[in-house]
Amino acid sequence: MIKKLIQKGSFILVLLAMASCSKNQGISNINIGIHGNNELKIQIDVTTNDQTQVYAEYWSDKKGKNSKITTPISKSGQKHSLVLCNITPETSYSYQLFTVQDGEKKPSKIYTFKSRKLPEWLQKQFKANCPKPELLPQNFKKGFMLLAKRETPGTAYIVDYKGNLRWYHTLEGTGFKVPHFTKEQTILSILGTNDEPTSYGSEILEINLQGDTLIHIKKGQGDLKQVIHHEIIKKSANEIVTITVDQKIMDLTSIGGKKQDTINGDGILILDKKGKQLWKWSVFDDLDPLKDKDLLKNKKDWTHANSLNYDTDGNFLISFYNNGQIWKVNAKTGKVMWKLGKGGNMKMTPESNFSQAHAAHIDQEGSLLFFDNGVDIKQSSVFALKVDEKSNSVKLDFHIKLPKEIYNDRMGSAYMIDKDAILVCCSKRHITVLTNKKGVLLWALESEIPPYRTIFIPEEKLKPFLLN
């Protein structure tokens, strides 16, 4: 179908090799194996005679030493573990170790290893289709995409535009409900079990690209008392921002409900790295549930927030599926500054009307960009709106209608690659496409999993861990 559309428009050491170095290099032993039972991460354990620092340079034999990658340098000591990323399956590599002591650098001889094939369950997960690669932006061809599997065992994947799996991380017992790539070159995620709804979870995990756990907070620890869902981002290196299920007990007997009835709304929660609450906000601060004539029908998931981001002025942008709106919320006072969409207070032209926004954010051109499920017209699309807060209005920047064959009524995302190329994830269709502003599909990626979003990561933000 995709081809037609485009033409139309822990650590587990598995011993691979052992080597001994001459004493005058300061290295007494080397063990090499896979890191964390992951075939795309190679771990080299180095023992030195003295307190020293160690790093490695490595390269594929096919590309040669000019394509070498350098690992981060270890802390001073006698036991060192180096993790090599950017590994291609079934490929011969060479590597050289360097010790650094008192400013003096000493190289080892050059060693070799061959990476193994990917396990069968990771093969053929992604299939790219691109009839005319010359039409693709260069930064897209050099960049990568982050997707994740929500069911257990959860897996986060980074793939290139050819559909090659370049990095992955697997969890037992939980799924990657929502992943986010941070400025610190880490992956921050909401984790949840299969029993929890699609984008809902009870744990926060942050890992680096070497697979090390940096933060792991479970519901019940610190001030994380609520279920979290749909979004996890960072305000700073020490501030984690997420959406919560905010419950309110109310007397709904006046509308046919119970005297103590539960309404599930949404909140914003900011925690530090240890799970201490720094700030919170609730949709109940602004809305009176009793004014909703369909409250009894919607009370189990009243507003359904589905994305959260920062505007350029530091205030929040939060989108809601059930009321078809995007709000701007003051990040200090919690006051709602404006509401855009059905029944909102921002003036809109007819061509700016949308159904349900996902992944609402400010793009590189300064517009409010989001994926529109298009439930009202059974056709999904991408909107970019210019917001004028002085006149309390918005006007259309651009609108891309997607082919009806990939209509996606839930989830989804859209992110600019350059001025004329947008990466769009149609989750339920298991399809990610690159489209221009005319709606012509330039590229597509079919995935075995239904990704909640597909996030583009420029190559420079992944160096030195992943390179093309």
Side-chain angles (χ1 to χ4, degrees):
M1 179 180 75
I2 281 299
K3 186 174 182 180
K4 182 180 177 182
L5 281 171
I6 292 181
Q7 289 172 344
K8 250 173 82 173
S10 181
F11 165 74
I12 299 175
L13 185 63
V14 177
L15 199 60
L16 301 177
M18 291 186 67
S20 294
C21 294
S22 59
K23 300 292 182 182
N24 60 14
Q25 303 298 334
I27 297 174
S28 60
N29 195 60
I30 302 170
N31 288 332
I32 181 169
I34 60 173
H35 175 69
N37 203 27
N38 189 310
E39 297 294 346
L40 298 185
K41 297 190 186 88
I42 299 296
Q43 179 164 327
I44 303 176
D45 287 339
V46 182
T47 304
T48 54
N49 297 319
D50 303 309
Q51 298 283 322
T52 186
Q53 293 177 284
V54 178
Y55 69 91
E57 293 180 351
Y58 60 103
W59 57 93
S60 72
D61 294 347
K62 183 179 180 180
K63 292 184 177 180
K65 197 170 183 178
N66 288 336
S67 66
K68 69 182 179 183
I69 299 173
T70 303
T71 68
I73 192 167
S74 69
K75 294 180 180 179
S76 183
Q78 290 180 274
K79 300 286 186 181
H80 313 266
S81 289
L82 307 175
V83 179
L84 281 54
C85 300
N86 206 53
I87 299 298
T88 301
E90 300 182 278
T91 301
S92 295
Y93 285 87
S94 298
Y95 70 95
Q96 189 171 26
L97 300 170
F98 294 82
T99 59
V100 181
Q101 187 178 37
D102 298 326
E104 184 180 2
K105 181 173 69 173
K106 294 182 179 180
S108 74
K109 68 177 186 179
I110 294 175
Y111 299 94
T112 63
F113 68 88
K114 185 175 181 179
S115 58
R116 305 190 306 195
K117 67 187 300 184
L118 281 172
E120 189 173 349
W121 65 273
L122 279 173
Q123 296 176 23
K124 300 179 181 178
Q125 286 286 307
F126 304 97
K127 180 182 178 182
N129 192 294
C130 182
K132 296 183 178 180
E134 66 273 13
L135 296 181
L136 301 181
Q138 284 302 309
N139 66 325
F140 180 68
K141 293 167 115 176
K142 289 184 177 181
F144 300 88
M145 285 154 285
L146 172 65
L147 308 87
K149 177 172 171 276
R150 294 164 299 170
E151 297 76 22
T152 58
T155 308
Y157 312 88
I158 295 179
V159 302
D160 60 25
Y161 86 99
K162 294 180 180 179
N164 297 318
L165 180 62
R166 303 293 300 276
W167 182 98
Y168 69 95
H169 188 89
T170 303
L171 302 170
E172 294 295 335
T174 56
F176 280 95
K177 298 291 188 171
V178 183
H180 171 70
F181 188 75
T182 75
K183 293 179 180 178
E184 291 81 29
Q185 291 187 303
T186 66
I187 295 176
L188 180 66
S189 304
I190 296 174
L191 308 184
T193 65
N194 290 348
D195 294 333
E196 294 176 280
T198 304
S199 303
Y200 292 70
S202 304
E203 300 179 32
I204 295 171
L205 176 72
E206 184 177 19
I207 57 174
N208 61 22
L209 291 171
Q210 294 171 299
D212 303 316
T213 296
L214 306 178
I215 298 172
H216 193 189
I217 306 169
K218 297 182 179 182
K219 182 183 174 185
Q221 295 177 343
D223 294 322
L224 182 58
K225 308 298 184 186
Q226 301 139 301
V227 170
I228 55 179
H229 65 98
H230 282 88
E231 196 67 82
I232 187 106
I233 57 176
K234 274 190 168 185
K235 181 180 180 182
S236 68
N238 190 49
E239 295 172 289
I240 299 167
V241 187
T242 188
I243 299 173
T244 66
V245 175
D246 197 22
Q247 294 185 326
K248 186 171 185 178
I249 309 297
M250 291 184 66
D251 182 354
L252 300 184
T253 54
S254 62
I255 58 172
K258 301 175 184 176
K259 187 167 184 62
Q260 285 196 313
D261 228 327
T262 302
I263 303 167
N264 289 328
D266 296 297
I268 300 172
L269 178 65
I270 303 180
L271 301 169
D272 69 12
K273 292 192 293 186
K274 295 183 179 179
K276 180 182 177 182
Q277 178 181 301
L278 303 176
W279 191 85
K280 68 179 295 188
W281 172 87
S282 173
V283 71
F284 295 111
D285 296 342
D286 182 85
L287 289 180
D288 179 2
L290 289 174
K291 292 183 179 179
D292 181 359
K293 59 182 177 60
D294 296 319
L295 180 61
L296 289 182
K297 183 176 69 174
N298 300 328
K299 65 179 182 178
K300 290 183 179 180
D301 186 14
W302 184 38
T303 45
H304 194 93
N306 59 28
S307 74
L308 179 69
N309 250 297
Y310 280 98
D311 200 344
T312 53
D313 60 6
N315 294 309
F316 288 114
L317 295 170
I318 183 169
S319 60
F320 299 93
Y321 187 90
N322 285 353
N323 63 14
Q325 292 182 351
I326 301 169
W327 293 7
K328 184 168 181 175
V329 178
N330 189 291
K332 293 181 179 179
T333 67
K335 181 181 177 181
V336 177
M337 301 169 68
W338 49 253
K339 298 178 182 181
L340 172 64
K342 303 171 185 177
N345 56 15
M346 294 288 277
K347 299 173 187 174
M348 299 175 66
T349 54
E351 63 267 22
S352 300
N353 290 331
F354 59 92
S355 297
Q356 288 86 15
H358 269 91
H361 66 283
I362 302 300
D363 67 24
Q364 58 213 49
E365 300 295 312
S367 294
L368 177 62
L369 181 68
F370 55 90
F371 178 84
D372 178 28
N373 294 111
V375 174
D376 293 349
I377 60 173
K378 301 295 186 291
Q379 183 175 13
S380 301
S381 62
V382 178
F383 274 93
L385 304 177
K386 290 292 186 183
V387 178
D388 186 343
E389 295 186 343
K390 291 182 179 179
S391 64
N392 210 38
S393 64
V394 298
K395 64 178 181 180
L396 186 67
D397 181 1
F398 63 84
H399 180 210
I400 304 169
K401 293 183 179 180
L402 298 171
K404 291 184 177 180
E405 293 92 332
I406 54 174
Y407 164 60
N408 185 73
D409 65 332
R410 306 288 293 194
M411 304 176 283
S413 62
Y415 299 101
M416 286 189 79
I417 303 301
D418 65 15
K419 291 183 179 181
D420 192 49
I422 294 88
L423 185 69
V424 184
C425 174
C426 297
S427 308
K428 292 186 71 174
R429 297 288 184 171
H430 296 227
I431 291 170
T432 300
V433 299
L434 187 73
T435 177
N436 63 19
K437 287 183 178 177
K438 294 180 181 179
V440 177
L441 302 191
L442 308 174
W443 170 94
L445 181 74
E446 295 182 86
S447 55
E448 289 295 312
I449 57 153
Y452 174 59
R453 290 178 185 153
T454 301
I455 301 168
F456 178 71
I457 310 173
E459 183 186 38
E460 57 269 20
K461 292 187 178 181
L462 284 166
K463 292 179 179 179
F465 302 102
L466 284 178
L467 300 169
N468 275 319

